Amino acid sequence: MPEPVGVRQAQAQRTRGAVLAAAAAVFVGQGVQAPIRDIAERAGVGVGTIYRHFPTRADLVTAVYRHQIDTCSALAPQLLEESASPFAALTRWADAFVDFLVTKHGLGAALGSGDPGLENLHTLMLDTLVPACATLLDACVAADELAPGTTAYTLMRAMGNLCITGPDYDQADAKRMVALLLAGCRREV
């Protein structure tokens, strides 16, 4: 007897989620050109399953980053609600943003590849994350924790520049430098 449609859809969603998580993890270590078989192995699925959900590499890359962008964006209001102060929320959000940026290893080359499936990814990131960061900055200014004038785009660009990892500079280094940047922006209360 075939499984009910709801059960199949739930399983497909779990599989899709496992593939996205595996792809994000593999992209951190190997970049967006990592072999699909490595992603499949990490997700515990076959290569065909990945192609059934994501027919092209661009589809997979876009889905991974769209999911991460949406997650990071949704985190801003949640952190404002549950943090002791707007600056604490901004600091926690910046940590998540650093994690997101570090997973973009290899994305710059992919964005410049001319693949039409990837051309809107940078715009999506800006259109989604800049307003999330602006919400946090506005709350910090309203609480007199930051001086007015810092724009979300400028702060995010500075954080992005601090997140360019290499052989002698890793994710932990990037987090420390972003923490120093935020401390420098903080208004003495």
Side-chain angles (χ1 to χ4, degrees):
M1 174 178 256
E3 293 178 324
V5 172
V7 172
R8 285 193 309 264
Q9 287 175 335
Q11 178 58 38
Q13 284 299 99
R14 282 191 297 276
T15 300
R16 182 180 169 83
V19 168
L20 290 174
V26 170
F27 290 168
V28 169
Q30 300 178 42
V32 296
Q33 295 303 323
I36 296 296
R37 70 180 172 282
D38 291 357
I39 297 166
E41 183 178 312
R42 186 173 185 112
V45 300
V47 171
T49 298
I50 292 182
Y51 283 115
R52 190 168 40 257
H53 286 275
F54 308 101
T56 68
R57 180 176 297 277
D59 292 335
L60 177 59
V61 170
T62 300
V64 166
Y65 293 111
R66 179 180 296 274
H67 176 71
Q68 290 179 330
I69 287 166
D70 291 344
T71 300
C72 195
S73 176
L75 192 57
Q78 176 189 337
L79 290 174
L80 274 174
E81 187 175 302
E82 66 188 33
S83 296
S85 71
F87 190 80
L90 175 63
T91 300
R92 290 177 60 199
W93 187 84
D95 274 347
F97 184 59
V98 169
D99 291 340
F100 164 73
L101 291 174
V102 171
T103 65
K104 287 177 41 182
H105 174 71
L107 186 58
L111 289 174
S113 70
D115 187 327
L118 298 173
E119 58 191 30
N120 293 326
L121 207 48
H122 183 70
T123 302
L124 171 70
M125 186 177 94
L126 292 177
D127 289 350
T128 306
L129 293 179
V130 169
C133 184
T135 299
L136 293 163
L137 290 175
D138 290 346
C140 287
V141 169
D144 206 28
E145 292 180 313
L146 290 178
T150 301
T151 67
Y153 178 76
T154 301
L155 181 62
M156 290 173 60
R157 189 165 179 191
M159 287 191 283
N161 288 337
L162 292 172
C163 290
I164 300 170
T165 59
D168 297 332
Y169 187 84
D170 63 12
Q171 184 170 354
D173 295 317
K175 283 192 174 201
R176 280 191 296 278
M177 293 307 295
V178 168
L180 286 171
L181 171 68
L182 291 177
C185 293
R186 188 162 193 187
R187 181 177 242 172
E188 294 296 322
V189 290

